[in-house]
């Protein structure tokens, strides 16, 4: 995944901290591209349907080792605050709980299976929610797409599929925007099905759970938050 970075974005990434060998933008892309080869092997040979924190952290570490000194670490309170498509990411203190809630919601979504293409709709929900949580200060998009590949592989979907950013990134970014703004999972679900060589019709579907992170730090339990997310 050779994703170019704008000058403004590159300045932001430099301020986040880079390893000494990364002096230019080209160094960043070269090392990440090299790391991506081994990460792709990992998601093929060790896939996981509903990625755990440990799996997410290890994938990020492998993807950005040699690039960021903090590779494989979730955001902490002293890190810069994150904005995702105009929306705030999860509070750093809540990232673990947000991901745990996401796994619970994903399992519940999959178990319902009431419309064609439900698997793709559930995967679209997982991906959108993960990106809205934004657990890392950099690399959430790349890590999120590799996690999606791991999920598809774990569900025995075709191994040879197009990348979510091929041949161009625009359809993927548009699907993310629509999902974030309108909570419609359909566009991203259809894109996942398309790159997976599945041409079934997938209708529009609002997310059954909220996509935005929670900000109430006093919630007593995951069960309370799960029930709260169903009502909203």
């Amino acid at each position: 995944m050779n994703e170019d970075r704008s000058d403004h974005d590159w300045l932001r990434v430099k301020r986040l901290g880079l390893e000494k060998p990364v002096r230019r933008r080209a160094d960043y892309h070269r090392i990440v591209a090299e790391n991506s080869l081994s990460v792709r092997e990992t998601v093929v040979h060790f896939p996981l349907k509903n990625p755990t924190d440990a799996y997410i952290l290890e994938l990020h570490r492998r993807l950005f080792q040699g690039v960021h000194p903090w590779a494989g670490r979730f955001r902490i309170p002293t890190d810069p605050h994150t904005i995702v498509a105009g929306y705030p990411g999860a509070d750093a203190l809540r990232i673990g709980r947000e991901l745990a809630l996401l796994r619970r919601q994903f399992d519940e979504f999959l178990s319902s299976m009431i419309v064609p293409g439900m698997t793709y709709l559930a995967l679209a929900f997982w991906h959108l929610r993960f990106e809205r949580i934004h657990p890392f200060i950099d690399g959430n998009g790349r890590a999120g797409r590799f996690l999606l590949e791991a999920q598809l592989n774990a569900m025995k979907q075709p191994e040879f599929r197009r990348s979510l950013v091929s041949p161009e990134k625009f359809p993927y970014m548009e699907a993310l925007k629509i999902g974030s703004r309108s909570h419609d999972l359909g566009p991203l679900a259809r894109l996942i099905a398309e790159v997976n060589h599945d041409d079934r019709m997938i209708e529009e579907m609002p997310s059954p759970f909220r996509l935005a992170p929670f900000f109430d730090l006093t919630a007593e339990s995951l069960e309370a938050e799960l029930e709260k997310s169903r009502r909203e």
Side-chain angles (χ1 to χ4, degrees):
M1 297 179 189
N2 185 16
E3 301 173 28
D4 196 16
R5 286 192 176 276
S6 67
D7 291 340
H8 175 76
D9 194 37
W10 175 239
L11 289 175
R12 178 190 67 82
V13 171
K14 286 170 67 175
R15 288 195 292 268
L16 297 178
L18 295 168
E19 298 283 16
K20 288 184 179 179
V22 185
R23 298 175 181 271
R24 300 169 302 159
R25 189 162 29 184
D27 297 328
Y28 179 102
H29 289 304
R30 175 180 54 79
I31 297 173
V32 171
E34 291 170 356
N35 290 347
S36 294
L37 297 176
S38 64
V39 173
R40 180 157 281 111
E41 288 293 309
T42 298
V43 301
V44 168
H45 297 294
F46 303 98
L48 197 60
K49 181 175 73 172
N50 199 355
T52 63
D53 285 4
Y55 191 94
I56 294 168
L57 288 166
E58 179 60 14
L59 185 147
H60 189 274
R61 186 192 68 78
R62 293 188 183 197
L63 189 54
F64 291 98
Q65 60 186 348
V67 174
H68 292 303
W70 43 263
R73 171 178 69 73
F74 289 148
R75 286 187 287 110
I76 57 177
T78 54
D79 286 332
H81 192 63
T82 61
I83 300 295
V84 192
Y87 299 96
D91 186 284
L93 294 174
R94 285 190 56 87
I95 288 172
R97 294 183 67 178
E98 292 285 354
L99 291 172
L101 177 61
L102 168 57
R103 285 189 286 271
R104 291 282 301 276
Q105 292 170 327
F106 180 68
D107 281 338
E108 185 168 317
F109 200 162
L110 274 181
S111 67
S112 60
M113 286 295 202
I114 56 175
V115 298
M118 182 65 83
T119 297
Y120 297 118
L121 288 162
L123 288 170
F125 165 74
W126 200 101
H127 190 71
L128 281 163
R129 184 96 162 81
F130 175 84
E131 295 301 336
R132 288 294 298 273
I133 294 170
H134 230 60
F136 303 103
I137 55 175
D138 185 46
N140 294 277
R142 284 182 173 87
R145 288 187 289 279
F146 272 118
L147 289 167
L148 182 53
E149 285 196 31
Q151 291 174 291
L152 285 165
N153 290 333
M155 294 177 178
K156 309 299 183 187
Q157 304 294 337
E159 180 177 336
F160 300 101
R161 65 179 65 88
R162 293 188 290 114
S163 165
L164 274 173
V165 292
S166 296
E168 57 181 21
K169 195 176 179 181
F170 178 75
Y172 168 75
M173 296 304 295
E174 277 300 294
L176 282 185
K177 274 185 196 174
I178 293 170
S180 289
R181 291 174 181 171
S182 69
H183 286 202
D184 179 12
L185 303 176
L188 185 56
R190 286 191 289 274
L191 184 60
I192 296 170
E194 180 185 332
V195 300
N196 206 46
H197 308 297
D198 190 333
D199 59 0
R200 78 180 71 190
M201 177 63 68
I202 300 175
E203 301 294 337
E204 294 183 1
M205 180 177 183
S207 174
F209 305 104
R210 65 182 288 166
L211 297 173
F214 287 84
F215 292 96
D216 176 13
L217 296 177
T218 64
E220 294 182 355
S221 66
L222 284 176
E223 286 72 19
E225 292 185 9
L226 187 62
E227 181 59 31
K228 183 179 178 182
S229 72
R230 291 194 195 99
R231 294 195 301 268
E232 297 190 5

